[in-house]
Amino acid sequence: METVIDTGISMHKLCEKLFPICRSITGDGFRKSLAIIKNDVQLDDLQFFEVATGTQCFDWEVPEEWNIKDAYIITPDGNKICDFKVCNLHVVGYSTPINQKISLEMLQNHLYSLPNQPDAIPYITSCYQKRWGFCITEQQRATLKSGSYQVYIDSELTAGSLTYGELIIAGETEQEVFLSSYLCHPSMANNELSGPVVTAFLAKWLLSLPSRKYTYRIIIIPETIGSITYLSRHYKTMKENIIAGFNITCVGDDRAYSYLPSRTGDTLADQVAKHVLAHTHPEYVSYSFLDRGSDERQYCSSGIDLPVCSIMRTKYGCYPEYHTSLDDLELVTASGLLGSYRVLKKAIQCLEYNETLATAVLGEPQLGKRGLYPTIGTKEGEAKVQNMMNFLAYCDGVSSNLEIAEKIKVPLWELVDIINQLKAEQLLKSIH
Amino acid sequence: METVIDTGISMHKLCEKLFPICRSITGDGFRKSLAIIKNDVQLDDLQFFEVATGTQCFDWEVPEEWNIKDAYIITPDGNKICDFKVCNLHVVGYSTPINQKISLEMLQNHLYSLPNQPDAIPYITSCYQKRWGFCITEQQRATLKSGSYQVYIDSELTAGSLTYGELIIAGETEQEVFLSSYLCHPSMANNELSGPVVTAFLAKWLLSLPSRKYTYRIIIIPETIGSITYLSRHYKTMKENIIAGFNITCVGDDRAYSYLPSRTGDTLADQVAKHVLAHTHPEYVSYSFLDRGSDERQYCSSGIDLPVCSIMRTKYGCYPEYHTSLDDLELVTASGLLGSYRVLKKAIQCLEYNETLATAVLGEPQLGKRGLYPTIGTKEGEAKVQNMMNFLAYCDGVSSNLEIAEKIKVPLWELVDIINQLKAEQLLKSIH
Amino acid sequence: METVIDTGISMHKLCEKLFPICRSITGDGFRKSLAIIKNDVQLDDLQFFEVATGTQCFDWEVPEEWNIKDAYIITPDGNKICDFKVCNLHVVGYSTPINQKISLEMLQNHLYSLPNQPDAIPYITSCYQKRWGFCITEQQRATLKSGSYQVYIDSELTAGSLTYGELIIAGETEQEVFLSSYLCHPSMANNELSGPVVTAFLAKWLLSLPSRKYTYRIIIIPETIGSITYLSRHYKTMKENIIAGFNITCVGDDRAYSYLPSRTGDTLADQVAKHVLAHTHPEYVSYSFLDRGSDERQYCSSGIDLPVCSIMRTKYGCYPEYHTSLDDLELVTASGLLGSYRVLKKAIQCLEYNETLATAVLGEPQLGKRGLYPTIGTKEGEAKVQNMMNFLAYCDGVSSNLEIAEKIKVPLWELVDIINQLKAEQLLKSIH
């Protein structure tokens, strides 16, 4: 049986396997990566969907499919640089094909580098405007001499389709918990292989449970156009059924824990995220919805208004390696992935534990006759059953278990045994 | 005529008279104490009620009645120690009878002492589990030598009844103010003779008033089982009629003033308590409902939800002498009792003063023509009638006088003359 | 064409012209001042209204009209002091006529001076109680010797009328913005020539606009009795139509900006005032409604409840020169007046810009295909359109533009171009 620590190592291994593949918002790299996840994590019911180029999705259209075989630059000295096969970040995403000799001066207009991070290859894409380009370290760029450069990009932009994966895990009710992550980034680790990998392992854990109160809607998509496409097909059902959801991204490093709220900031997902982080990682960083930058942009847009927030390690845009070749598998660690996995698991457990109950008797129940209360009055006695008494006091048929946990300042998971004991004693009744 | 300072001295004297009596949640000690209060404070309408052992009260049952005549231990040297007649705290409350010789080793299992307070006899009870025991100072316990000890407890646990006192003082309306205190503790002063004694004197004052807007429901009960018993008989009427109530306990020492809220923290009782304490003792300690430990546990339980909070001096559990023989009549003083009496009286007066009025004219009334405004405009002039103008400005038919007092940052009692003047000038109208 | 800086100078010049006139709550000084404003600022539609002495207005009555030609005191040495023609503050407002020789001892009862400001003539009125008096510097008062003083006041209290000016500037809707200022103070500059002068120039600017969404109700009145009189005639219409209003007073010095809320503190006027001041003068002083002292006393009285607050420079009562001869045209400056004019103009513009819209598409609109989004993904790219994206995210058919501006922490005026662009792209729809 796999231990918890094994889970961290397994997730990191899966990241390693997926890392070299050149992914984009469409194309075979995405498909291949999704297939590896399905196979390695044994998510047999993970369905693949293809949405044809040109399909209208809300205000957007599915773009042409982009595939690339090779790309490089030959310097006047005959050296091959910006070799796609060495690092796929060297090519601007969605670059049109080219095979041409041009001057350094011309070439400079198509080069992207980061003066402040001279040893980093930046990650650049241009999905909605046709252009070509190469990304290069500032250090290497500085060495380029005048002369004629052979630029070669063997890519294809064709009518094809956008791919996404969807896994529905049935629960006892039609109400849904929603997990979303994205797989459209090429060789970067925290943003973004950590998200789909942790999501896949959460799916595996959910499948291993004997039962689930909620149905789980889990999707692995390309960012932005993927969530727009998916929403355009399912948003009515989603609005009806989803009680809470998490956008899972940047969950792999060992630094901060972070929370980015939904637009309103007060959904059940927000309540759960803040409850779990406050009790497990009270030093967590709390962002504003104004700091958003991932698929919550769609999930929380006005008219969609899904209860979706993000629990992350160091947030996208907030770590120096973000969107460069430095976001690699040393930045993302087994323990970093494992920490996120555990926190998200706890958040899901809180959702499963959460219900609205009422104390079934008037006044305090006599816990003593049920063996739940110390039989002799001492100074220390009361403290022992304080959580139980506090839970009963606030259990009024209106406050949810989660809200009670907040009020009585204990983590919800520490109340689970207490609630089960009280249920066994017929001291609680459900509210429907 | 008795002065206010006399009231403090009278209350302390009554505490002295009641102090030596061995009280418990049932039994003759409770009855005798209640009879002394009724007689000495001249509360002729204070009714005694007896509820038979075994009566079901919500989730509880009235326990057997406990009475005790004597108890002590004879040491191997022939000395009498833990003598009930010297201090009734020496016997664990509700101890079963015993008359037996036992070894020190065996005896130790039945002794209770406080290592951190070596000169204090702890207060211990065991109402809901049959056992016997003695309480002893840590100092004395340390001197006990091996040998055979004669333990003697001449107590009785019999079918009997639980006793409580109830005084209903009729007012102009059926709406009620509720005062509750408890008399079930043996020889301790702050917790708890201060509560029933201050309550009795408040009742005396209420009876001396020419009229009262509200009806007053005043009860002196045993803690916990008493409030459960009382609620089980009256909670429907109480829920209907009680607009505010106070659990009166720990009101005798000279140290802090404290406030412990109702469960919701926003009832009229809470508003009044905070208003009075903020204006009379702004340094007061504000507790959370999570710090509760007295009959508000029942009054504020879910489904009961009475608007009851506590105004105390140093709260139970928060002073070193609590539940020991050190909680004596030096800790409780005439001035300590008097301070609580005054604060609670002010809280009751605020309830009586509180009503919802509306300014009877549009715009500011012309106070000048009524002699209520300085006739010459000066820098200082306006300040003089500021409270009157502020009251009128906020008197909108929705805000109560108490809420207005809070908004304009003056104690309600400083507005009483102003309100009466404005009423006399027909500038205010009542809202029904 | 007049520049903005010219506006400051023009306002100061108008103050200079009005300064020497002796105004009171009634009388020819008020009429003459109002006529100068109408003429000099070219407010041709400013209507004058006369309300007869004795007219009942809510709880008040229009007082007798007061006019004065001359006043002075002749000292025993034959010197003329407290000469009304030198400074009209020397006479207590509404003084009854007198021409009599009296002793210094008698005279002292009719003299007003300020011991703490020995070189200031105080401003004193007695509109609602008949008396006479002179205001004098403490310095001069100290030099008065025993002897016989000739006191002479050539004033008249007669049945006449109270005057006010009203300008209605029609807009596209019947909903109104309300501006109120008062002109009843004699020779003082900040309190109060700044208010009516800035108000008149705001009216001029409003008239110069090609169109206005709202109708503007602008009144120049005597303080207190004027607002009561005006309300008694129009409050029903005003309650129905006014969406926001400002009481314009103390808007001329160069020191603080201040905000005094409406009674509830949360009206649209309050929202706008706080929004504008927070973004233009974040150091502004925020007062409580308890600090009020001008016509918001009437506008916000219970039963009237108009959404009116005040944006000021240094508030009445809060600067040392207040209500003395030191409140002069050095204290009030062109830049002081101009600053207030600009802030109030911005507040009015915010009201005009404010509306409730909804994003017309589901999900984020694709700004790229409309040329509103950078076509290449870079770290910096997103920041550029952040305000547009934020506006769209919060534009939910419920939040007003002003509320969105607050949420996304940008001044509303910086969103105007964005909103117009989005409207042109059909990305926003109106909510009715």
Side-chain angles (χ1 to χ4, degrees):
Chain A
M1 194 187 144
E2 196 175 60
T3 68
V4 177
I5 289 162
D6 288 338
T7 301
I9 294 166
S10 301
M11 289 191 289
H12 199 264
K13 279 187 180 153
L14 181 55
C15 287
E16 283 168 21
K17 191 164 177 181
L18 294 165
F19 192 80
I21 301 168
C22 180
R23 286 166 295 275
S24 184
I25 58 170
T26 60
D28 289 330
F30 189 99
R31 284 186 198 98
K32 187 176 168 192
S33 301
L34 197 58
I36 289 171
I37 289 172
K38 176 172 176 161
N39 184 65
D40 284 29
V41 192
Q42 294 168 292
L43 303 175
D44 301 341
D45 294 329
L46 179 65
Q47 305 282 320
F48 291 21
F49 293 84
E50 299 286 340
V51 185
T53 296
T55 306
Q56 191 71 26
C57 301
F58 293 152
D59 193 48
W60 299 63
E61 223 172 70
V62 173
E64 287 183 305
E65 183 172 329
W66 184 65
N67 283 295
I68 178 165
K69 292 205 191 100
D70 202 2
Y72 52 77
I73 299 169
I74 306 291
T75 65
D77 300 340
N79 294 322
K80 186 187 274 191
I81 62 167
C82 293
D83 186 350
F84 170 78
K85 292 192 171 153
V86 172
C87 174
N88 54 39
L89 292 178
H90 276 309
V91 185
V92 168
Y94 264 70
S95 277
T96 48
I98 190 162
N99 187 3
Q100 202 179 314
K101 284 208 166 196
I102 60 174
S103 68
L104 177 59
E105 203 183 357
M106 290 280 284
L107 179 60
Q108 291 287 13
N109 296 326
H110 294 269
L111 293 184
Y112 300 89
S113 61
L114 297 169
N116 294 328
Q117 289 177 288
D119 60 341
I121 307 163
Y123 163 55
I124 308 281
T125 59
S126 178
C127 300
Y128 299 98
Q129 166 99 348
K130 290 197 176 171
R131 55 157 69 85
W132 64 267
F134 284 90
C135 299
I136 184 171
T137 66
E138 183 72 13
Q139 278 168 347
Q140 188 164 32
R141 188 175 190 165
T143 67
L144 300 183
K145 295 168 191 157
S146 284
S148 179
Y149 285 78
Q150 176 76 23
V151 292
Y152 178 69
I153 301 179
D154 181 7
S155 67
E156 234 185 7
L157 274 164
T158 54
S161 58
L162 173 154
T163 311
Y164 67 80
E166 181 199 65
L167 173 61
I168 306 288
I169 306 176
E172 289 160 17
T173 71
E174 288 198 344
Q175 287 192 302
E176 294 179 3
V177 173
F178 177 52
L179 305 179
S180 176
S181 192
Y182 54 97
L183 189 59
C184 54
H185 283 43
S187 297
M188 288 174 297
N190 197 34
N191 181 232
E192 192 65 75
L193 275 177
S194 64
V197 166
V198 166
T199 304
F201 275 75
L202 287 169
K204 186 182 174 189
W205 163 69
L206 284 163
L207 285 164
S208 76
L209 297 176
S211 74
R212 291 153 299 271
K213 184 161 68 176
Y214 296 111
T215 293
Y216 286 78
R217 181 185 293 267
I218 301 169
I219 65 174
I220 296 176
I221 55 176
E223 207 181 11
T224 305
I225 185 63
S227 50
I228 286 165
T229 300
Y230 190 82
L231 281 170
S232 74
R233 300 175 144 212
H234 298 290
Y235 79 97
K236 283 182 191 169
T237 314
M238 292 167 80
K239 286 185 69 153
E240 216 168 303
N241 291 347
I242 291 172
I243 59 145
F246 301 101
N247 183 51
I248 302 177
T249 171
C250 294
V251 286
D253 74 331
D254 260 311
R255 296 184 286 208
Y257 282 90
S258 313
Y259 156 70
L260 189 130
S262 72
R263 182 155 63 89
T264 60
D266 59 359
T267 71
L268 180 57
D270 294 286
Q271 288 175 38
V272 163
K274 285 184 277 190
H275 184 75
V276 171
L277 286 170
H279 283 287
T280 61
H281 302 281
E283 74 292 356
Y284 77 95
V285 182
S286 188
Y287 288 97
S288 155
F289 187 67
L290 298 177
D291 302 313
R292 73 196 178 285
S294 181
D295 285 323
E296 70 285 338
R297 288 165 57 174
Q298 313 311 325
Y299 298 138
C300 300
S301 62
S302 74
I304 299 296
D305 297 307
L306 289 175
V308 172
C309 69
S310 299
I311 295 172
M312 296 169 281
R313 303 296 298 238
T314 315
K315 183 185 159 287
Y316 44 80
C318 295
Y319 56 97
E321 303 87 352
Y322 170 71
H323 271 202
T324 75
S325 55
L326 306 180
D327 182 353
D328 61 16
L329 285 166
E330 281 184 40
L331 179 66
V332 164
T333 64
S335 65
L337 294 160
L338 185 60
S340 301
Y341 172 81
R342 282 173 164 170
V343 164
L344 283 158
K345 202 163 136 183
K346 261 205 159 36
I348 291 168
Q349 285 170 324
C350 282
L351 289 168
E352 291 276 331
Y353 295 149
N354 196 32
E355 60 183 325
T356 302
L357 301 164
T359 302
V361 299
L362 287 170
E364 288 185 340
Q366 195 188 352
L367 298 179
K369 70 184 181 191
R370 298 179 172 89
L372 300 173
Y373 201 85
T375 54
I376 191 157
T378 63
K379 281 193 184 184
E380 296 75 24
E382 284 187 19
K384 293 179 191 158
V385 286
Q386 205 56 52
N387 282 350
M388 186 177 282
M389 300 304 280
N390 283 343
F391 181 82
L392 284 164
Y394 285 92
C395 186
D396 57 2
V398 175
S399 311
S400 70
N401 292 350
L402 181 63
E403 287 163 346
I404 297 171
E406 278 290 311
K407 282 177 189 165
I408 70 175
K409 301 178 202 293
V410 292
L412 180 51
W413 49 92
E414 287 187 14
L415 291 177
V416 173
D417 282 351
I418 287 172
I419 293 167
N420 288 338
Q421 271 189 294
L422 293 172
K423 279 180 172 174
E425 295 287 342
Q426 251 105 57
L427 287 173
L428 298 176
K429 56 188 176 195
S430 289
I431 298 297
H432 298 289
Chain B
M1 196 189 140
E2 196 175 59
T3 68
V4 178
I5 290 164
D6 288 338
T7 300
I9 294 166
S10 300
M11 288 191 288
H12 199 265
K13 278 186 183 154
L14 181 54
C15 287
E16 283 168 22
K17 192 165 176 181
L18 294 165
F19 193 79
I21 301 168
C22 179
R23 284 167 296 274
S24 185
I25 59 169
T26 60
D28 290 329
F30 189 99
R31 285 184 197 101
K32 185 177 168 191
S33 300
L34 197 59
I36 290 171
I37 289 172
K38 176 173 177 161
N39 183 66
D40 284 28
V41 193
Q42 293 168 293
L43 302 175
D44 302 340
D45 293 330
L46 178 65
Q47 305 282 321
F48 291 20
F49 293 85
E50 300 285 339
V51 186
T53 296
T55 305
Q56 190 70 27
C57 301
F58 293 152
D59 193 47
W60 298 63
E61 221 172 74
V62 173
E64 286 183 304
E65 184 172 330
W66 184 66
N67 284 293
I68 177 166
K69 290 203 191 104
D70 201 2
Y72 51 77
I73 299 170
I74 306 290
T75 66
D77 299 339
N79 293 323
K80 187 187 273 190
I81 61 166
C82 293
D83 187 350
F84 170 78
K85 292 192 172 155
V86 172
C87 173
N88 53 41
L89 293 177
H90 276 308
V91 184
V92 168
Y94 262 71
S95 276
T96 48
I98 190 163
N99 188 4
Q100 203 177 316
K101 284 209 167 198
I102 60 173
S103 68
L104 178 59
E105 203 183 356
M106 290 282 284
L107 178 61
Q108 290 289 12
N109 296 325
H110 295 269
L111 292 184
Y112 300 89
S113 61
L114 298 169
N116 294 327
Q117 289 177 287
D119 59 341
I121 307 164
Y123 162 54
I124 308 282
T125 58
S126 178
C127 300
Y128 299 100
Q129 166 100 347
K130 290 196 180 173
R131 56 160 66 87
W132 64 268
F134 284 90
C135 299
I136 185 171
T137 65
E138 184 72 11
Q139 279 168 345
Q140 189 165 31
R141 187 174 190 166
T143 67
L144 301 183
K145 295 167 191 157
S146 285
S148 179
Y149 285 79
Q150 176 75 23
V151 291
Y152 178 70
I153 301 179
D154 180 8
S155 66
E156 232 185 11
L157 273 164
T158 54
S161 58
L162 174 155
T163 309
Y164 67 80
E166 181 198 66
L167 173 61
I168 305 288
I169 306 176
E172 291 160 15
T173 72
E174 288 199 345
Q175 288 192 303
E176 294 180 4
V177 173
F178 176 52
L179 305 179
S180 175
S181 191
Y182 54 97
L183 188 58
C184 54
H185 283 44
S187 296
M188 288 174 296
N190 198 34
N191 180 232
E192 192 67 73
L193 275 176
S194 64
V197 165
V198 166
T199 303
F201 275 74
L202 287 169
K204 185 183 174 187
W205 163 69
L206 284 163
L207 285 164
S208 76
L209 298 176
S211 73
R212 292 153 300 270
K213 184 160 67 175
Y214 296 110
T215 294
Y216 286 77
R217 182 185 293 267
I218 301 169
I219 64 173
I220 296 176
I221 55 175
E223 208 180 9
T224 304
I225 185 65
S227 50
I228 287 166
T229 299
Y230 191 81
L231 282 169
S232 73
R233 301 176 143 208
H234 298 291
Y235 79 98
K236 284 183 189 168
T237 314
M238 291 167 80
K239 286 186 71 153
E240 214 168 304
N241 291 346
I242 291 173
I243 59 146
F246 302 101
N247 183 50
I248 302 177
T249 170
C250 294
V251 286
D253 73 332
D254 260 311
R255 297 184 284 206
Y257 281 90
S258 313
Y259 156 70
L260 188 130
S262 72
R263 182 156 63 92
T264 60
D266 60 359
T267 70
L268 180 56
D270 294 287
Q271 287 176 38
V272 162
K274 285 185 275 191
H275 184 74
V276 170
L277 286 170
H279 283 288
T280 60
H281 302 282
E283 76 292 354
Y284 77 94
V285 182
S286 189
Y287 288 96
S288 155
F289 187 65
L290 298 178
D291 302 313
R292 74 195 177 286
S294 181
D295 285 323
E296 70 285 338
R297 290 166 55 173
Q298 313 311 325
Y299 299 139
C300 301
S301 62
S302 74
I304 300 295
D305 297 307
L306 290 175
V308 172
C309 70
S310 300
I311 296 172
M312 295 168 282
R313 303 296 299 242
T314 314
K315 183 185 160 287
Y316 43 82
C318 296
Y319 56 97
E321 303 86 350
Y322 170 71
H323 272 198
T324 74
S325 55
L326 305 179
D327 183 352
D328 61 17
L329 285 166
E330 279 183 42
L331 179 67
V332 163
T333 65
S335 65
L337 294 161
L338 186 60
S340 302
Y341 171 81
R342 282 172 163 167
V343 164
L344 283 158
K345 201 165 138 182
K346 261 203 160 38
I348 291 168
Q349 285 170 326
C350 282
L351 290 168
E352 290 275 332
Y353 296 149
N354 196 32
E355 60 183 325
T356 302
L357 300 163
T359 302
V361 300
L362 287 170
E364 287 185 343
Q366 193 188 354
L367 298 180
K369 71 183 182 190
R370 298 178 172 90
L372 300 175
Y373 201 86
T375 55
I376 192 156
T378 63
K379 281 194 185 184
E380 295 75 24
E382 282 186 23
K384 292 178 192 161
V385 286
Q386 206 54 51
N387 282 349
M388 186 177 281
M389 301 303 280
N390 283 344
F391 181 83
L392 284 164
Y394 285 93
C395 186
D396 57 3
V398 175
S399 310
S400 70
N401 291 351
L402 180 65
E403 288 163 346
I404 297 172
E406 279 289 309
K407 282 179 188 165
I408 71 176
K409 299 177 204 294
V410 292
L412 179 52
W413 49 93
E414 287 185 15
L415 291 178
V416 174
D417 282 352
I418 287 172
I419 293 168
N420 288 338
Q421 271 187 297
L422 294 173
K423 279 180 173 174
E425 295 287 341
Q426 251 106 56
L427 288 172
L428 298 177
K429 56 187 178 196
S430 288
I431 299 296
H432 299 291
Chain C
M1 193 190 142
E2 195 176 58
T3 67
V4 177
I5 290 163
D6 288 339
T7 301
I9 294 166
S10 300
M11 288 192 288
H12 200 264
K13 278 187 182 153
L14 180 55
C15 287
E16 283 169 20
K17 192 164 176 184
L18 295 165
F19 192 79
I21 302 168
C22 178
R23 285 168 295 275
S24 185
I25 58 168
T26 61
D28 289 330
F30 189 100
R31 285 186 197 98
K32 187 176 167 190
S33 300
L34 196 59
I36 289 170
I37 288 172
K38 175 172 178 161
N39 183 65
D40 285 29
V41 192
Q42 294 169 293
L43 302 175
D44 301 340
D45 293 328
L46 178 65
Q47 305 282 319
F48 291 21
F49 293 84
E50 300 286 339
V51 185
T53 296
T55 305
Q56 190 71 26
C57 301
F58 293 150
D59 193 49
W60 300 63
E61 222 173 71
V62 173
E64 286 184 303
E65 181 172 331
W66 183 66
N67 284 294
I68 178 165
K69 291 204 190 102
D70 202 1
Y72 52 77
I73 298 169
I74 306 293
T75 66
D77 300 340
N79 293 323
K80 187 187 272 192
I81 61 165
C82 293
D83 187 350
F84 170 79
K85 292 193 171 155
V86 173
C87 174
N88 54 39
L89 292 178
H90 276 309
V91 184
V92 168
Y94 263 71
S95 275
T96 48
I98 190 163
N99 187 4
Q100 202 177 316
K101 285 211 165 193
I102 59 171
S103 68
L104 176 58
E105 202 183 354
M106 291 280 286
L107 178 61
Q108 291 288 13
N109 296 326
H110 296 269
L111 293 184
Y112 300 90
S113 61
L114 298 169
N116 294 328
Q117 289 178 288
D119 60 341
I121 307 164
Y123 163 54
I124 308 282
T125 58
S126 177
C127 300
Y128 299 98
Q129 166 100 347
K130 290 196 179 172
R131 56 159 65 88
W132 65 268
F134 285 89
C135 299
I136 184 170
T137 66
E138 184 72 11
Q139 278 168 346
Q140 190 165 30
R141 188 174 190 167
T143 67
L144 301 182
K145 294 165 191 159
S146 285
S148 178
Y149 285 79
Q150 177 74 24
V151 293
Y152 178 70
I153 301 179
D154 182 8
S155 67
E156 236 186 6
L157 273 163
T158 54
S161 59
L162 174 155
T163 311
Y164 67 80
E166 180 198 66
L167 173 61
I168 305 288
I169 306 175
E172 291 160 18
T173 70
E174 288 198 345
Q175 287 192 302
E176 295 180 2
V177 173
F178 177 53
L179 305 179
S180 175
S181 192
Y182 53 97
L183 189 59
C184 55
H185 283 44
S187 296
M188 288 174 297
N190 197 34
N191 179 235
E192 192 63 77
L193 275 176
S194 65
V197 166
V198 166
T199 304
F201 275 74
L202 287 169
K204 186 182 173 186
W205 162 70
L206 284 163
L207 285 163
S208 77
L209 297 176
S211 74
R212 292 153 299 271
K213 184 160 70 175
Y214 296 111
T215 294
Y216 286 78
R217 180 186 294 266
I218 301 169
I219 64 173
I220 297 176
I221 56 176
E223 206 180 10
T224 304
I225 184 66
S227 50
I228 286 166
T229 299
Y230 190 82
L231 281 170
S232 73
R233 298 177 144 209
H234 299 290
Y235 80 97
K236 282 182 191 168
T237 314
M238 292 167 80
K239 286 186 70 153
E240 214 166 307
N241 291 347
I242 290 172
I243 59 146
F246 301 101
N247 183 51
I248 302 177
T249 171
C250 294
V251 285
D253 73 331
D254 261 310
R255 298 184 283 207
Y257 282 91
S258 313
Y259 156 70
L260 188 129
S262 72
R263 183 156 62 92
T264 60
D266 60 358
T267 72
L268 180 56
D270 294 287
Q271 286 176 38
V272 163
K274 284 184 278 190
H275 184 74
V276 170
L277 286 170
H279 282 288
T280 60
H281 302 282
E283 76 290 356
Y284 77 94
V285 182
S286 189
Y287 288 96
S288 154
F289 187 66
L290 297 178
D291 303 312
R292 74 198 178 284
S294 182
D295 284 324
E296 70 286 337
R297 289 166 55 173
Q298 313 310 326
Y299 299 138
C300 301
S301 62
S302 74
I304 300 295
D305 297 307
L306 290 174
V308 172
C309 70
S310 299
I311 295 172
M312 299 168 279
R313 303 296 300 240
T314 315
K315 183 185 160 288
Y316 44 80
C318 296
Y319 57 97
E321 303 87 353
Y322 170 73
H323 271 199
T324 75
S325 54
L326 305 180
D327 183 351
D328 61 19
L329 285 165
E330 281 185 38
L331 179 66
V332 163
T333 65
S335 65
L337 293 161
L338 185 60
S340 301
Y341 172 81
R342 283 173 161 168
V343 164
L344 283 158
K345 203 165 137 182
K346 260 204 160 39
I348 290 168
Q349 286 169 327
C350 282
L351 289 168
E352 290 276 331
Y353 295 150
N354 196 32
E355 61 185 323
T356 303
L357 300 163
T359 302
V361 299
L362 287 171
E364 287 185 343
Q366 193 189 355
L367 299 179
K369 71 183 182 189
R370 298 177 172 92
L372 300 174
Y373 201 86
T375 55
I376 191 157
T378 62
K379 280 194 186 185
E380 296 75 23
E382 282 186 22
K384 291 179 193 160
V385 286
Q386 205 54 52
N387 282 350
M388 185 177 282
M389 301 303 280
N390 283 344
F391 181 82
L392 285 164
Y394 284 92
C395 187
D396 56 2
V398 175
S399 310
S400 70
N401 292 350
L402 180 64
E403 287 163 346
I404 297 171
E406 279 290 311
K407 282 178 190 165
I408 71 176
K409 299 178 204 292
V410 292
L412 179 52
W413 47 93
E414 286 185 15
L415 291 178
V416 174
D417 282 352
I418 286 172
I419 292 168
N420 288 338
Q421 270 188 296
L422 293 173
K423 278 180 172 175
E425 295 287 343
Q426 252 105 54
L427 287 173
L428 299 176
K429 56 187 179 196
S430 288
I431 298 296
H432 298 290

